[in-house]
């Protein structure tokens, strides 16, 4: 009986030591949180995997200051989608598109004044450096921004972000 117990223990020990090797080859979804700066909308960002290498990325930012006779603040909302390509060494290249809205406001006791409001969209390509725990990203894109004063800005943009995957 003692030999059977020892053999069973060794069998379970062998099987359990093989599991990490098997788990290494499983592709699990990678969720990420981080901060993203774009000319359209900047803020806290969360990456949700939709399929392997396809991410949906909402972003949100809120800032509010309450003074003695006035209040001021801003908020930003955005939604982006990215499609990744195979890693090139420690770089993860991807392309994507996004849209966003940003509003800055100021109010006094009697009225609310919108200082600036802008809505826009962009297409971009970027690289994420995936060597360390924190992954910085740099993107180049074409951006179109519609401002509340009626002006339109179309041009290139440089975006940057920083992510932590779990």
């Amino acid at each position: 009986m003692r030999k059977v117990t020892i053999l069973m223990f060794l069998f379970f020990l062998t099987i359990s030591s093989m599991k990490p090797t098997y788990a290494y080859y499983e592709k699990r979804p990678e969720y990420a949180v981080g901060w993203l700066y774009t000319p359209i909308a900047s803020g806290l960002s969360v990456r949700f995997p939709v399929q392997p290498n396809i991410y949906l990325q909402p972003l949100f930012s809120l800032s509010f200051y309450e003074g003695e006779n006035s209040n001021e603040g801003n908020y930003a909302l955005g939604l982006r989608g990215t499609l990744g390509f195979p890693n090139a060494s420690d770089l993860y290249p991807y392309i994507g598109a996004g849209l966003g809205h940003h509003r800055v406001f100021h109010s006094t006791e009697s009225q609310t004044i919108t200082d600036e409001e802008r809505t826009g969209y962009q297409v971009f390509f970027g690289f994420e450096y995936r060597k360390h725990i924190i992954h910085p990203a740099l993107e180049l894109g074409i951006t179109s921004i519609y401002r509340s004063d009626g002006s339109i800005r179309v041009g290139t943009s440089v975006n940057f972000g920083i992510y932590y995957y779990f």
Side-chain angles (χ1 to χ4, degrees):
M1 182 69 173
R2 184 178 173 137
K3 286 183 182 181
V4 172
T5 307
I6 291 173
L7 285 174
M8 290 296 284
F9 175 73
L10 290 175
F11 175 74
F12 286 119
L13 186 63
T14 304
I15 295 298
S16 66
S17 69
M18 291 173 61
K19 183 169 174 56
T21 305
Y22 174 73
Y24 175 76
Y25 291 108
E26 286 182 9
K27 181 67 176 164
R28 66 177 182 87
E30 294 181 330
Y31 296 88
V33 295
W35 188 264
L36 180 68
Y37 168 79
T38 70
I40 299 171
S42 301
L44 176 68
S45 175
V46 180
R47 280 187 165 179
F48 297 101
V50 177
Q51 291 184 354
N53 293 326
I54 298 176
Y55 290 96
L56 189 60
Q57 185 177 6
L59 57 107
F60 174 74
S61 173
L62 177 66
S63 174
F64 188 75
Y65 168 75
E66 185 174 352
E68 189 172 315
N69 294 325
S70 67
N71 299 323
E72 58 187 60
N74 64 59
Y75 69 86
L77 301 168
L79 183 63
R80 298 163 31 110
T82 60
L83 170 65
F85 298 106
N87 288 355
S89 185
D90 293 326
L91 294 177
Y92 173 67
Y94 58 90
I95 60 171
L99 56 99
H101 178 76
H102 182 249
R103 182 177 179 193
V104 177
F105 58 89
H106 176 79
S107 67
T108 62
E109 292 178 356
S110 61
Q111 65 181 357
T112 299
I113 303 165
T114 300
D115 293 332
E116 182 184 2
E117 193 170 352
R118 60 184 182 221
T119 303
Y121 62 90
Q122 70 179 184
V123 292
F124 54 88
F125 72 93
F127 294 96
E128 190 174 299
Y129 187 63
R130 290 188 167 182
K131 186 170 183 172
H132 303 290
I133 293 174
I134 303 295
H135 300 168
L138 181 65
E139 302 169 353
L140 300 174
I142 298 173
T143 304
S144 177
I145 298 175
Y146 302 94
R147 296 180 186 259
S148 57
D149 64 359
S151 64
I152 298 173
R153 178 198 175 268
V154 177
T156 59
S157 65
V158 177
N159 311 330
F160 57 90
I162 189 162
Y163 302 103
Y164 173 74
Y165 285 84
F166 55 97

